[in-house]
Amino acid sequence: MIERVAGAVFRAFWVALLVAVPFLLLPLGLGDATALVVLLAFLAGLMTFLEYSTEFPSILEFRDAAPFNRMRFAAVFLVVLVLALILRAEVYPSQLGLLLQALGRLLGQWADFPYSPVRLALLALPADAPQALIDHVRVAAAVAYSLAGGVLLVFLAVVRFSGWPMRGGAFNVWVNLPMFDPTKGDVLLRLQRDARINVMLGFILPFLIPAVLKGLSGWIDLNVLMNPHVLIWSMMIWACLPANMILRGVAIGRVAEMIDEKRRRTYAEAKLADTA
């Protein structure tokens, strides 16, 4: 009980810190927004604490199948932190910030090729967008996608080489998939379908979101991305949402694979028993 509560407090602290990082590092957007940031950080931490402090699951998937949720959080936290440090270097230069800024520009140049997510993000900007906004979006998009893609590759390696999620013992479907109803239809087919849908959406969204924003340009002023806080959270959502969907698809596909293997063993054993 004490260990579970301590773990919940630890996780709640990091989630609250994630919300506050841009406002702690950037001088812009404070003032009257400080109280709102504190409230949002507190609510995010409280929700995380309530989720992990109880023994029974609520809505969080793969709660006891580390490092799935750690990978998802790492992708979001790294994107927010690195982008905040890059934008902070424009106001308060530091060796780390300038280094990240230079690496971001280099990544932006490499990733800005036809039909890439970075190029599509630039095409979604207004035709009269200032050069500073174009440069910021190019760097932010390249950095966000590089970090999210790196975390995704690490998780794929974990699944491939460490036997996830069975390396820690038995896998409890009810705890790790609390929103999944195993009584409706064939469990294996539903899991395989959900895995494919998540992976496909994860690959499509980076290209679909800029097209939607371009179509809504008459209602949405994308020049608001000049605000560093808006830019950070927008790029985080745009890069991490598809990556998290692919992560979820891979994880659910792995569960479906385990169920399929168990079924095959059971059928083989039953057939062997009948012929004995």
Side-chain angles (χ1 to χ4, degrees):
M1 176 65 180
I2 296 177
E3 181 180 355
R4 184 168 64 246
V5 172
V9 171
F10 180 77
R11 292 177 173 87
F13 167 77
W14 280 101
V15 171
L17 181 62
L18 166 66
V19 176
V21 158
F23 295 89
L24 294 174
L25 294 179
L26 296 174
L28 305 176
L30 292 175
D32 295 338
T34 304
L36 178 60
V37 174
V38 172
L39 177 61
L40 291 176
F42 173 77
L43 291 177
L46 178 62
M47 292 176 62
T48 304
F49 174 79
L50 293 177
E51 172 65 38
Y52 279 95
S53 62
T54 178
E55 182 179 357
F56 304 102
S58 57
I59 60 174
L60 187 64
E61 295 181 328
F62 298 102
R63 197 181 75 171
D64 292 341
F68 178 79
N69 287 310
R70 297 173 189 174
M71 292 288 183
R72 294 201 300 178
F73 178 80
V76 175
F77 191 86
L78 284 174
V79 169
V80 171
L81 177 62
V82 173
L83 291 184
L85 290 172
I86 290 175
L87 295 173
R88 176 183 171 85
E90 298 185 357
V91 183
Y92 300 116
S94 64
Q95 290 185 348
L96 177 59
L98 294 175
L99 175 62
L100 292 175
Q101 202 173 66
L103 292 175
R105 291 196 183 101
L106 186 61
L107 285 173
Q109 293 175 0
W110 287 347
D112 186 7
F113 56 86
Y115 305 109
S116 71
V118 175
R119 177 66 61 85
L120 294 176
L122 297 177
L123 293 176
L125 295 175
D128 59 346
Q131 186 61 39
L133 176 59
I134 295 175
D135 294 339
H136 285 168
V137 171
R138 179 185 291 112
V139 170
V143 170
Y145 266 95
S146 297
L147 292 173
V151 172
L152 176 59
L153 292 177
V154 171
F155 180 72
L156 292 176
V158 170
V159 174
R160 175 67 178 83
F161 298 108
S162 72
W164 185 91
M166 295 295 292
R167 57 180 182 169
F171 180 81
N172 190 315
V173 177
W174 177 65
V175 172
N176 291 288
L177 293 172
M179 305 299 291
F180 182 78
D181 187 356
T183 64
K184 295 182 179 179
D186 186 275
V187 172
L188 179 59
L189 294 178
R190 289 174 57 207
L191 287 174
Q192 291 174 338
R193 179 198 62 195
D194 290 349
R196 295 191 188 102
I197 290 175
N198 277 270
V199 172
M200 287 190 296
L201 286 177
F203 280 107
I204 292 173
L205 281 179
F207 306 95
L208 180 62
I209 292 176
V212 172
L213 292 177
K214 188 68 174 179
L216 297 176
S217 58
W219 291 274
I220 300 176
D221 183 12
L222 293 180
N223 287 314
V224 72
L225 293 175
M226 286 297 295
N227 185 306
H229 298 277
V230 177
L231 178 64
I232 289 172
W233 292 112
S234 299
M235 291 298 106
M236 184 278 293
I237 294 173
W238 182 44
C240 292
L241 179 60
N244 282 336
M245 295 192 73
I246 296 175
L247 279 172
R248 185 175 186 270
V250 171
I252 293 178
R254 174 59 182 149
V255 174
E257 181 182 337
M258 291 163 46
I259 294 176
D260 187 35
E261 291 175 355
K262 186 173 183 179
R263 283 187 179 182
R264 291 176 183 273
R265 287 197 304 267
T266 301
Y267 293 155
E269 291 172 358
K271 186 177 180 179
L272 183 62
D274 292 338
T275 57

